[in-house]
Amino acid sequence: MIGVFDSGHGGLTVLRALVDALPGRSFVYLGDHAHAPYGNRTPEEIYGLTVAAVERLFAQGCRLVVLACNTASALALRRLQQTWLPCHHPDRRVLGVLVPMVEAITGVPWMADIPAGRHAGEPRSVAIFATRRTVQSQAYPREIGKRAPEVEVVQQACPDLARLIEEDAPEAEIRRAVRRYTASLMDKLEHGTPSAVMLGCTHYPLVAGEFAAALPAGVDVLDQPALCARSLVHYLARHPEFDDDGGAPVTFLTTGDAAKVTRLATRFFGRPAPFARSIP
């Protein structure tokens, strides 16, 4: 089984793409709704909650877990991979949504040997909308800069947007928030119009149309769920030991109120998503 983790509903957008790309595979989705949102928590809180969630998924029989949460991927994944997994679960793996996006923006494989002082390409700019903690981590500018120093990365924190989407706020309220954040980002750009936009929170694909309407015409909005699904397919082809077949196609778990979570989940997953309470 493959585990998929997010702080709330947002990761269901990634899960749907994974299920579509890998039919016949078994997934366990865990939403930490009891502690959502993560975007306003401290890095230590995010790390601790992420480790606890991964442990729960390992206990469910998952040997591979995808962090379908940009905040957890940006603030917890590297430490988890480098220190926690080798000590506690050396035979298991945890992946994140950050890597596929960086590869898509730079065109450079994550594990490529990058020579110092390599020739930069034509200057271009990439805009990133994300939670406050993802922006503060500087994970995306750091990793993009290593591989494509010619890319100007301009970030915009959207502190309330994930919450508004999670709470199914009125469309007009969400539209106003998106337009406010988009206008703020456009004011920061040195080159006028970004060559691409990355929605760096898995909630945001649900309002991708609002971002496209608020941005200049022709700006490419990257599809994070689709990119993550393609990346996982390639990973499993390289690591068939994690490519398990299993029982039920998808199991949905939450640390919060299962009935309430289930009522909102269909909008994110695009089909019925019956959640059960995850007991520690």
Side-chain angles (χ1 to χ4, degrees):
M1 289 186 289
I2 299 171
V4 180
F5 166 68
D6 184 53
S7 60
H9 285 88
L12 290 168
T13 62
V14 173
L15 177 66
R16 177 172 181 175
L18 299 182
V19 169
D20 289 345
L22 293 162
R25 301 297 183 267
S26 296
F27 293 89
V28 180
Y29 182 88
L30 174 61
D32 190 15
H33 297 86
H35 301 103
Y38 279 15
N40 297 322
R41 291 187 174 275
T42 68
E44 279 302 311
E45 286 179 313
I46 293 165
Y47 176 76
L49 291 168
T50 302
V51 167
V54 172
E55 281 280 26
R56 290 188 184 197
L57 287 167
F58 285 167
Q60 291 288 322
C62 302
R63 296 188 301 118
L64 172 66
V65 171
V66 177
L67 301 186
C69 174
N70 284 273
T71 302
S73 294
L75 283 113
L77 181 60
R78 183 183 295 273
R79 180 176 165 190
L80 191 151
Q81 289 175 328
Q82 293 181 348
T83 62
W84 183 75
L85 275 179
C87 292
H88 300 282
H89 300 282
D91 61 333
R92 304 191 183 191
R93 297 292 180 270
V94 179
L95 309 176
V97 293
L98 186 146
V99 172
M101 298 303 288
V102 171
E103 290 181 334
I105 290 168
T106 64
V108 178
W110 186 260
M111 299 304 294
D113 185 15
I114 306 166
R118 75 179 187 87
H119 175 69
E122 289 297 319
R124 53 195 173 93
S125 60
V126 171
I128 298 176
F129 296 94
T131 67
R132 180 185 290 116
R133 284 299 180 197
T134 298
V135 169
Q136 289 176 345
S137 76
Q138 292 295 307
Y140 278 108
R142 180 175 62 249
E143 298 300 340
I144 291 169
K146 289 178 185 176
R147 295 159 177 82
E150 71 277 11
V151 176
E152 175 196 11
V153 179
V154 180
Q155 300 187 98
Q156 176 61 46
C158 308
D160 298 323
L161 189 54
R163 177 186 59 80
L164 291 174
I165 297 169
E166 190 99 2
E167 295 176 355
D168 198 17
E171 185 176 320
E173 186 176 358
I174 291 176
R175 181 178 298 118
R176 285 194 297 271
V178 169
R179 288 179 176 175
R180 183 172 69 251
Y181 294 134
T182 302
S184 179
L185 181 136
M186 294 300 296
D187 287 343
K188 301 175 186 176
L189 283 167
E190 295 180 8
H191 300 298
T193 301
S195 57
V197 164
M198 193 197 90
L199 304 182
C201 173
T202 50
H203 287 70
Y204 299 175
L206 289 179
V207 294
E210 297 293 351
F211 278 101
L215 289 162
V219 174
D220 185 23
V221 179
L222 299 178
D223 186 339
Q224 185 173 48
L227 290 170
C228 291
R230 185 177 68 185
S231 180
L232 182 60
V233 169
H234 292 164
Y235 181 88
L236 293 174
R238 299 192 306 271
H239 300 278
E241 66 272 22
F242 295 112
D243 192 4
D244 295 333
D245 293 322
V250 187
T251 300
F252 299 93
L253 300 174
T254 178
T255 59
D257 182 331
K260 179 180 178 182
V261 170
T262 297
R263 286 195 296 270
L264 294 172
T266 300
R267 186 165 57 93
F268 288 80
F269 191 53
R271 61 197 74 164
F275 275 79
R277 179 73 185 275
S278 173
I279 306 299

